[in-house]
Amino acid sequence: MPVEGASDTALSFDIADKTGGSLGSSLGGATSHADGSDDVLGGKRIFYPNGQLFSYFKKDGSGIVHYPDGRIAVNVVAGDGIPPGLFTTFFKATGRKDVIGSWNAVGVGSCMYKNNKVCLSTTDAGGTYYDERGDLVRMWTWDKRPLVEAIQVALNDFIFLQVVNQKEVTATFRSGSNQIVFRLGKVMRRSDTYLDKITGVGTGDERGKFTLDVIKCRE
């Protein structure tokens, strides 16, 4: 959740991730009206200098971010399904309130340019990046053909996307001194467990008891 601070002081918070990791977000240099306010759900409201609501987030990570004119820019939902975690959706700043991008809880998603052509997409295997005409610029895989340099794209005047690797996929919403960063990449977890360090299984009175390699467990 946001840390209380004076006007123009950087605010930051970590959002609980139901997948077991930490999906952190930050409010860098955000100006808060009355330093924000908490509610009975433990949510935090941050305001633009003119009193307009900038963002509201609950402890589970769900919440919304508004454009300066009040319309919704970003909506984050904390899902309990498969996969569990945070699902983030971005909306247009003008015209119809269409979706311009969305990412699920494991780093799979896509976004569009202002002309509604696909800009970029990421999957569990890799990703693709197109120019505004729809021509393929880059295609990669996370393991064998990873990105050599980061991809940076402006979806509109407020939302900026950056892809570095499967874990580091971020979208920054910026309006004046108000800024918030969404971590959209896959949350990495340990691929091994204590079961990988079993050297034997007991018999007789020791039946069902695992013998572990203590040295490997300490690595």
Side-chain angles (χ1 to χ4, degrees):
M1 295 301 296
V3 177
E4 293 288 355
S7 178
D8 293 324
T9 299
L11 306 177
S12 64
F13 61 96
D14 282 327
I15 294 174
D17 170 27
K18 296 185 178 182
T19 62
S22 174
L23 291 181
S25 296
S26 65
L27 289 169
T31 300
S32 61
H33 181 74
D35 291 333
S37 58
D38 296 308
D39 61 19
V40 294
L41 297 177
K44 171 71 72 174
R45 290 179 174 84
I46 301 297
F47 299 85
Y48 284 104
N50 63 2
Q52 169 67 44
L53 181 64
F54 169 63
S55 66
Y56 171 72
F57 281 93
K58 300 177 184 177
K59 287 185 176 180
D60 65 359
S62 62
I64 55 175
V65 176
H66 291 269
Y67 286 111
D69 63 0
R71 66 189 291 164
I72 294 177
V74 188
N75 182 48
V76 181
V77 177
D80 291 314
I82 302 175
L86 301 179
F87 296 76
T88 309
T89 305
F90 304 91
F91 298 91
K92 284 186 174 181
T94 59
R96 294 177 55 181
K97 299 179 181 179
D98 294 335
V99 173
I100 57 173
S102 65
W103 263 263
N104 69 9
V106 292
V108 175
S110 63
C111 58
M112 298 182 293
Y113 287 108
K114 295 179 182 179
N115 60 9
N116 294 326
K117 288 185 179 294
V118 175
C119 170
L120 183 146
S121 66
T122 58
T123 67
D124 192 53
T128 52
Y129 171 46
Y130 302 87
D131 61 24
E132 294 191 56
R133 296 175 300 181
D135 296 327
L136 180 64
V137 175
R138 205 173 304 172
M139 179 182 293
W140 67 91
T141 60
W142 301 122
D143 52 359
K144 297 181 179 180
R145 291 187 299 164
L147 287 170
V148 177
E149 58 184 25
I151 294 176
Q152 297 179 324
V153 180
L155 301 186
N156 56 30
D157 295 334
F158 301 88
I159 301 173
F160 306 89
L161 183 74
Q162 176 172 275
V163 180
V164 178
N165 52 47
Q166 190 174 18
K167 182 180 179 180
E168 296 180 69
V169 180
T170 59
T172 301
F173 178 88
R174 185 182 303 120
S175 177
S177 62
N178 294 63
Q179 174 176 300
I180 183 168
V181 177
F182 298 91
R183 298 179 187 174
L184 309 174
K186 185 174 183 178
V187 178
M188 302 301 180
R189 296 169 185 76
R190 291 179 60 119
S191 59
D192 63 332
T193 70
Y194 76 94
L195 296 177
D196 298 314
K197 302 174 177 63
I198 294 175
T199 59
V201 180
T203 59
D205 293 339
E206 298 292 317
R207 183 178 181 181
K209 182 177 180 179
F210 293 142
T211 302
L212 301 178
D213 187 323
V214 177
I215 295 176
K216 285 188 176 180
C217 290
R218 292 174 177 174
E219 292 179 347

